[in-house]
Amino acid sequence: MSGTTTAGVRLRKAADDANRWVVLVVLCLSLLVVALDATVLHVAVPAVTEDLRPSGTALLWIVDAYPLVCASLLILFGTLGDRIGRRRVLLFGYALFGVASALAATADTPAVLIAARALLGVGGAMIMPATLSILRQVFPDRRERALAIGVWTAVAAVGAATGPVVGGFLVEHFWWGSVFLINIPLMAVILPLGRWLLPESRGGDDGPWDVLGALTAAAGVLGVVLGVKRLGGGAGLLDPVSLGPPALGLALLILFVRRQKRRRHPLIDVSMFARPAFSTAVGCIVLAMLALVGLQLIAVQYLQLVLGLSPLETGLRLLPLTFAAMAAGATGSLTLRRVGPRRMVGWGFVLTATSVLLLTSMGQHDRPALLTCAFVLLGFGLQTTLFGAYESMLSDAPPERAGGAAAIGETSYQLGAGLGIALLGSVMNAAYAPGLAGLREKGVPARAGAEASHSLGEAYQVAAQLGGPMGDLLRSTARHAFIGGLHVTLFVSAGLLLLGALAALRLPKAMECPPKEACPRREVDDAASPAGSAAKASAYGADEPRVPGASRPAGPDRPAPRPMVPARREPAEATGSGRAAH
């Protein structure tokens, strides 16, 4: 027992003192689990529909309950980690994630599955706040931080994009619940890694914890998204039942902002949104995630239900998107230095919009080359946009506000994913249903037509029950209506992406690094090389003055140089997840 404890102390000391790259690995593993679970269910949607028979609204909730709950609770659990310890909350989130995964795998009704997905969102909200705030503090140099963010965003893209591949393989060989069981061995690995490698950290004692404010923000976000879902499902614009949730949600969000402005110790420093680069970067993250997750869900349904591909074949078709995203993340640091944040984010949006417009050529027949080309452009463009937006957001925020900036960025990421499914899914449903309105005149029973208008999966089930020419008519009409709705959704998505490209014009033109202290010419030349930069970064502490190289002799007007001994970094207790970092 003592040997295990000693090993854990040594590993934590290594992460605390020097090896920030080990910390990055643990953070990326945490992010991989959270991102994987956001999309692993997508290819299982037809199987879930066939087994549990959820309504169209329930099916949307099954898919997006996880990201929406996660986004709503990030601020709450981020600030809770400041008070009781971020490592403690993180480890509890791992455990809860494993329990919720087991519950989701054994769900036998839509309500149980929705509840399990919501519980997964709670676990994800406990895990996420640790990643970006620690990354911002562990990598104070902007060049190194850009490289770390490239790794971080690439892992997020890999998790989100490989989710359908993993899910497709499991659904094809086992049953849909197996897509959740894979979380359990991942948690079994990452729980001890986090316990051994991550140091405990707490924020400063900067006032009472505003639980009411966090709950107000959570309720406001959920109200707005619920309203979008109801309006997209065909509810009337003037229907009080439909207008109530978004109106209440907006009112609660306004109250939250006013409350944070009045409080001496706010949960979120809303004044950061007055900085153009910061607010623009946050909006770009929301738009990019909205497009990625919403389009991916619709593409999965098209590949399976229209082209008739198996779940595994569907996942493999999406692999080009994964590889393109990995390439964008690997080259993101170099691209950012060459072209700057404004061009990087703006052209990333334009490239993504181009890929979306290319996808409007999809019809009832398979065109593999077209799909592959579009998915490559989509993955590279979106990953480029996310990289530039995250780096600009973290770098524009004051260092003492790194924790709050991280919480805002993570909330934007998850909120964008949830809104993408809700908004684009609702647009899809609203455009799909009118295409089945003429079935009754052709002899299809009204009840069958109403059930088929919920989703293409339900239309196939109703068509199978009808059988004969009537079933074939229903099936063919539903396929045409789905493709028409798909094209409308793609045009809406392209419009949003082009708005993001215009918004990116508010970002800085160039990647501006903090000015360094004046130093002799030889030291500047040494620092220009990668090896020299790494040596300088590791040889000096954050507050220690830089000393010229030892080759310069001491003179009467020049003190003898001190030996270049690696300085010990400050312990992680100085950082907070949702508060000011010290």
Side-chain angles (χ1 to χ4, degrees), residues 558-579:
R558 186 184 301 117
R562 290 179 291 168
M564 297 170 63
V565 179
R568 186 183 188 276
R569 291 190 295 108
E570 290 299 317
E573 278 74 4
T575 66
S577 170
R579 305 307 260 153

Side-chain angles (χ1 to χ4, degrees), residues 345-551:
V345 175
W347 284 109
F349 271 126
V350 171
L351 186 62
T352 307
T354 302
S355 70
V356 169
L357 292 175
L358 187 61
L359 288 173
T360 58
S361 300
M362 294 188 304
Q364 298 202 36
H365 302 289
D366 192 7
R367 302 177 67 181
L370 172 70
L371 290 177
T372 300
C373 180
F375 286 155
V376 167
L377 295 178
L378 181 67
F380 195 90
L382 278 177
Q383 185 66 13
T384 298
T385 298
L386 284 171
F387 182 100
Y390 266 114
E391 203 283 334
S392 298
M393 181 197 70
L394 289 181
S395 297
D396 189 71
E400 66 273 11
R401 297 295 183 184
I408 293 171
E410 291 157 0
T411 302
S412 304
Y413 181 95
Q414 293 293 338
L415 182 60
L419 285 175
I421 296 170
L423 179 60
L424 296 187
S426 298
V427 170
M428 180 71 195
N429 289 341
Y432 163 76
L436 304 179
L439 286 174
R440 187 174 181 179
E441 300 174 357
K442 299 179 181 180
V444 177
R447 182 175 179 180
E451 292 179 356
S453 65
H454 294 155
S455 68
L456 183 60
E458 286 194 53
Y460 282 178
Q461 293 178 7
V462 173
Q465 294 172 0
L466 289 177
M470 200 68 66
D472 292 339
L473 174 64
L474 175 58
R475 186 181 182 90
S476 175
T477 304
R479 282 165 59 95
H480 281 90
F482 181 87
I483 293 174
L486 174 64
H487 290 167
V488 171
T489 306
L490 290 173
F491 281 118
V492 170
S493 178
L496 293 174
L497 291 167
L498 292 177
L499 285 178
L502 293 176
L505 295 175
R506 301 180 67 201
L507 292 173
K509 222 176 202 184
M511 177 182 177
E512 299 174 358
C513 297
K516 297 183 178 180
E517 296 183 26
C519 52
R521 179 67 184 173
R522 180 169 180 175
E523 185 176 350
V524 173
D525 294 340
D526 291 342
S529 66
S533 298
K536 300 299 181 191
S538 63
Y540 295 104
D543 301 320
E544 185 179 357
R546 302 200 173 212
V547 180
S551 60

Side-chain angles (χ1 to χ4, degrees), residues 226-227 230-231 233-247:
L226 180 60
R230 288 189 60 85
L231 292 173
L237 291 175
L238 301 180
D239 184 0
V241 178
S242 301
L243 289 178

